[in-house]
Amino acid sequence: MATPLVVSEVAKSFTMHLRDGVRLPVVEKVNFAVAAGECVVLGGPSGIGKSSILKMLYGNYSVDSGQILITRDDVTVDIAGADPRTILSIRRDTIGYVSQFLRTVPRVPAVDVVAEPLLARGRSQEEARARARTLLEKLNLPEQLWSLPPATFSGGEQQRVNIARGFITNHPLLLLDEPTASLDAENRAVVIELIRAKKEAGTALLGIFHDSDVREQVADRIIDVSEFRAARDAA
Amino acid sequence: MSDHSLLRVNAVTKFYGSRVGCRDVSFELWPGEVLAVVGESGSGKTTLLNAISTRLMPTSGTIEYRMRDGQFRDLYSIGEAERRFLMRTDWGFVHQNPADGLRMTVSAGANVGERLMAIGDRHYGNIRGSAAQWLGRVEIETNRIDDQPREFSGGMRQRLQIARNLVTGPRLVFMDEPTGGLDVSVQARLLDLMRGLVNDLGLAAIVVTHDLAVARLLSHRMMVMKDGNVIEHGLTDRVLDDPREPYTQLLVSSILQV
């Protein structure tokens, strides 16, 4: 089976035009791969570019140079040069992403926020909602919240909605940006169990976990992102 | 996702005398895709929308649309009758001010039914039935079917305008600041409604807005205009989260956070 994710010579910087065009290098020479059934963790201190790497893989940040190769069913796409339609179809079918914060849509109830990725893949509303309810129950989100829009939920409740939304599909590649940051021990254990189930199902996972306990329980390997730290411009 | 685009815009330029309205704009739109055109007043976004929707003849460039027979036709070379038929059936146009898109002194039901009659529906019961069903979909109580839109609130008028546009099953909808001038809570309801309808019906849409939050919620792809030029174009969340151009960075950093 082909490697689902290969990152090769990727570099990223930001040019801040509102600050006299100052260029902020983030990472360079990023090289790694994630195999099916493996959970790889991006390590290193805050501000080193871990989230930026995940965002580039998801097509949310542009890439200055290098390749991000996503392979599914022997078809390989370079995210770094893909057009918006291609990125949207890869997000629908191939790459899942649990972000740190839930972006809520007015009036849409939690159960439908979770069910949406399955609906987008053509499943029936009944099936998608049933699966969403199963996940929300597993994550101990009180049932009376399911039919409410998550805008007014607590941080931990929103994060559980976000996790359920990310784990509901069987995307072969899953990106996790601190999914356990605002969870209590009981729910952290649930997330660890969900991650293990994904690994057994052959999903390639790439995540950021600041909680060392969670990291030790899920990580097959840790990549130190400080190795990719870009050289700063000479001032 | 369909492999054929619905609309091809090639190097569209519009001059008003020596002043530039929009310059050298090219893009393709696919079925089910929502494109947001953002920029401040005077950036050329409404000029572009009007040029594409055949309301304003461009100075140069072509706009091709894939008709229901699968053939692309240049919109400025088709006959007037064909163009009008297109606007009445296959397209919708949602104006910022509902009064521009509604007939204010005929009933809500007739406003929706009129577009059905324009495509040859003559059965009164069917027309009224469709009108009632569409009022329901845009969350207007059916007992208001005989009321005139001038008796409606701003948000209701805008929802009625959407129903009037969607009743014929269009494939492409143009929207010019569809939430402009509405209260925030009314906006949220309208946005949620539009999002649902676009998803359910697989509509393609071009939405002109100066509100980046509206663009984020509704669109897949985004074009940023300044002084008549498209200065940045890409996946909506990419443009908003990693803006490249100085002007886009200024726009994004000017959003008020709540």
Side-chain angles (χ1 to χ4, degrees):
Chain A
M1 193 170 164
T3 308
L5 172 67
V6 177
V7 180
S8 165
E9 293 294 307
V10 163
K12 172 70 184 168
S13 66
F14 291 108
T15 303
M16 316 295 275
H17 291 288
L18 302 182
R19 286 169 53 198
D20 302 320
V22 62
R23 189 175 156 275
L24 300 175
V26 183
V27 287
E28 62 184 21
K29 298 195 180 92
V30 180
N31 290 295
F32 66 88
V34 182
E38 184 182 34
C39 181
V40 174
V41 171
L42 296 175
S46 299
I48 204 86
K50 300 186 295 292
S51 283
S52 291
I53 290 175
L54 289 190
K55 286 174 178 173
M56 284 190 280
L57 302 190
Y58 199 58
N60 179 227
Y61 278 4
S62 64
V63 175
D64 294 356
S65 59
Q67 291 180 310
I68 294 167
L69 303 175
I70 307 288
T71 302
R72 175 167 198 197
D73 300 336
D74 293 324
V75 179
T76 300
V77 175
D78 181 7
I79 291 281
D83 62 35
R85 288 181 76 227
T86 307
I87 291 179
L88 289 175
S89 81
I90 285 179
R91 286 181 184 179
R92 191 189 58 219
D93 299 328
T94 310
I95 307 184
Y97 177 50
V98 177
S99 58
Q100 275 184 60
F101 303 103
L102 179 69
R103 192 176 283 285
T104 57
V105 174
R107 300 210 310 168
V108 180
V111 65
D112 287 341
V113 170
V114 175
E116 197 194 2
L118 275 189
L119 289 175
R121 304 197 65 196
R123 305 297 184 78
S124 74
Q125 190 161 64
E126 208 172 304
E127 182 194 347
R129 279 196 181 143
R131 179 94 189 96
R133 282 191 285 264
T134 308
L135 271 166
L136 289 174
E137 190 169 14
K138 197 176 263 185
L139 285 156
N140 304 306
L141 191 79
E143 192 171 344
Q144 62 268 31
L145 295 182
W146 298 358
S147 57
L148 298 177
T152 54
F153 291 8
S154 74
E157 287 161 354
Q158 289 197 3
Q159 191 161 38
R160 279 176 277 160
V161 172
N162 220 8
I163 291 166
R165 183 182 158 91
F167 278 82
I168 196 168
T169 54
N170 55 357
H171 284 126
L173 176 60
L174 192 53
L175 309 174
L176 307 170
D177 195 347
E178 296 201 50
T180 55
S182 28
L183 300 185
D184 57 25
E186 187 191 352
N187 286 308
R188 273 202 304 274
V190 175
V191 175
I192 291 167
E193 184 199 318
L194 286 172
I195 290 173
R196 284 186 176 145
K198 285 282 180 200
K199 277 165 70 169
E200 272 169 33
T203 306
L205 294 114
L206 179 68
I208 301 169
F209 300 92
H210 279 302
D211 184 314
S212 56
D213 177 48
V214 176
R215 195 166 51 209
E216 273 162 33
Q217 293 198 56
V218 299
D220 292 306
R221 165 160 84 80
I222 295 174
I223 294 173
D224 182 2
V225 174
S226 6
E227 287 172 17
F228 307 136
R229 189 176 183 158
R232 304 278 146 165
D233 291 349
Chain B
M1 237 181 267
S2 166
D3 287 337
H4 293 286
S5 59
L6 192 61
L7 183 76
R8 292 185 197 143
V9 175
N10 305 302
V12 165
T13 298
K14 172 66 187 175
F15 280 100
Y16 297 102
S18 61
R19 206 163 47 79
V20 176
C22 65
R23 194 201 311 260
D24 198 22
V25 179
S26 300
F27 66 89
E28 281 184 84
L29 190 72
W30 276 266
E33 189 175 40
V34 180
L35 172 74
V37 182
V38 305
E40 57 197 32
S41 323
S43 59
K45 48 194 201 303
T46 299
T47 295
L48 177 65
L49 191 75
N50 287 335
I52 297 168
S53 58
T54 73
R55 299 163 157 261
L56 179 72
M57 181 116 149
T59 312
S60 63
T62 59
I63 295 133
E64 295 169 292
Y65 182 71
R66 187 160 55 84
M67 300 293 193
R68 288 190 184 234
D69 63 6
Q71 301 298 311
F72 276 97
R73 307 285 298 278
D74 181 343
L75 291 179
Y76 282 96
S77 63
I78 61 176
E80 182 61 19
E82 199 175 0
R83 194 182 67 84
R84 288 185 57 143
F85 190 74
L86 199 64
M87 292 189 81
R88 278 188 191 150
T89 58
D90 223 23
W91 289 4
F93 198 111
V94 176
H95 298 265
Q96 174 172 6
N97 181 356
D100 294 336
L102 293 172
R103 299 216 294 155
M104 299 301 279
T105 54
V106 305
S107 71
N111 262 288
V112 178
E114 191 179 39
R115 275 197 28 132
L116 286 176
M117 285 191 273
I119 59 169
D121 207 330
R122 289 287 176 269
H123 188 284
Y124 177 80
N126 288 350
I127 292 173
R128 193 172 167 90
S130 295
Q133 191 201 343
W134 268 99
L135 290 182
R137 280 188 89 159
V138 298
E139 303 171 7
I140 294 174
E141 285 175 37
T142 29
N143 63 14
R144 302 296 303 267
I145 191 166
D146 294 317
D147 294 347
Q148 294 174 7
R150 58 182 178 176
E151 296 158 28
F152 286 3
S153 68
M156 275 173 79
R157 288 178 188 180
Q158 198 55 297
R159 296 202 300 276
L160 179 62
Q161 196 192 178
I162 288 170
R164 176 180 162 96
N165 274 284
L166 297 186
V167 69
T168 57
R171 293 189 297 159
L172 174 60
V173 178
F174 301 94
M175 301 186 194
D176 189 3
E177 302 281 6
T179 59
L182 299 175
D183 290 340
V184 183
S185 59
V186 178
Q187 262 194 36
R189 183 175 184 186
L190 191 69
L191 281 170
D192 171 40
L193 181 76
M194 289 194 294
R195 208 172 151 271
L197 290 171
V198 165
N199 281 342
D200 293 349
L201 305 171
L203 290 177
I206 301 179
V207 184
V208 161
T209 178
H210 67 273
D211 188 332
L212 298 181
V214 169
R216 180 173 311 252
L217 212 57
L218 282 183
S219 71
H220 303 106
R221 224 165 15 121
M222 189 161 130
M223 270 183 356
V224 183
M225 292 190 73
K226 182 172 190 288
D227 302 330
N229 298 301
V230 173
I231 56 160
E232 192 158 354
H233 183 188
L235 199 64
T236 296
D237 61 275
R238 206 283 295 154
V239 173
L240 290 174
D241 295 340
D242 185 14
R244 317 280 287 173
E245 292 297 316
Y247 178 70
T248 317
Q249 292 189 356
L250 179 67
L251 269 187
V252 170
S253 67
S254 307
I255 304 174
L256 294 174
Q257 304 281 334
V258 249

